[in-house]
Amino acid sequence: MHSHVHANPDTERLHRLQALAAAFIEGFRKAEDKPAFIELSQVATRREGSDGLTMHLVDAAVETKWQLGTASPAFGSRELVHLPYPAAMIRERETMTFTYVSLTEREDVDIITLLNEGQPKREKKGKSDD
């Protein structure tokens, strides 16, 4: 028997990626030389498109959002139950999107997706590894 609790590895990974994304966004905002910051961070400036053409990084956008409440289906009704948050529960969230283009397509890629692509994949543990 184990005396410790196993956390969900996917949840841990997401939290780690969110922390990396927040640090990246903060660094990007402060960087005087944005192209050098991108290069040092090893963000791909090129990606292969679905048709095999090279897509080039042309834009980076940071967006701030605030969740002001929630809405969920009401029992036995077609209406939503709206629950506004009190001021103390409202948190700022920032996201960053990179835009890649080629002659034939455009792809907007979230920072979490880019960070996840660059992370080594976690190997599944067998029963004997627990």
Side-chain angles (χ1 to χ4, degrees), residues 17 22-26 53 67 71 73 84 86 88 105 107-108 110 124:
L17 291 173
F24 182 91
I25 291 169
E26 182 180 343
L53 292 178
Q67 184 174 358
E105 68 182 307
E107 183 179 10
D108 294 315
D110 182 83
K124 299 273 185 199

Side-chain angles (χ1 to χ4, degrees), residues 1 8 11-12 14 16 18 22 50 52-53 55 65 68 71 75 79 81 83-84 87 93 100 105 113 117-118 122:
M1 293 249 319
N8 181 335
T11 302
E12 287 178 5
L14 178 60
R16 189 174 78 250
Q18 288 171 333
S50 62
L53 292 178
M55 300 177 71
K65 297 178 182 182
L68 303 174
F75 182 74
E79 294 292 326
V81 174
L83 302 169
R93 298 173 310 196
Y100 294 86
E105 68 182 307
T113 301
E117 289 173 355
R122 186 178 181 278

Side-chain angles (χ1 to χ4, degrees), residues 41-97:
S41 302
Q42 298 183 354
V43 170
T45 57
R46 295 187 177 113
R47 293 172 68 87
E48 184 176 327
S50 62
D51 55 6
L53 292 178
T54 300
M55 300 177 71
H56 302 274
L57 178 62
V58 296
D59 197 20
V62 176
E63 181 179 19
T64 303
K65 297 178 182 182
W66 292 268
Q67 184 174 358
L68 303 174
T70 64
S72 58
F75 182 74
S77 172
R78 292 185 48 187
E79 294 292 326
L80 291 177
V81 174
H82 176 247
L83 302 169
Y85 286 164
M89 288 182 61
I90 296 172
R91 298 282 182 259
E92 179 179 301
R93 298 173 310 196
E94 288 190 315
T95 59
M96 187 169 190
T97 305

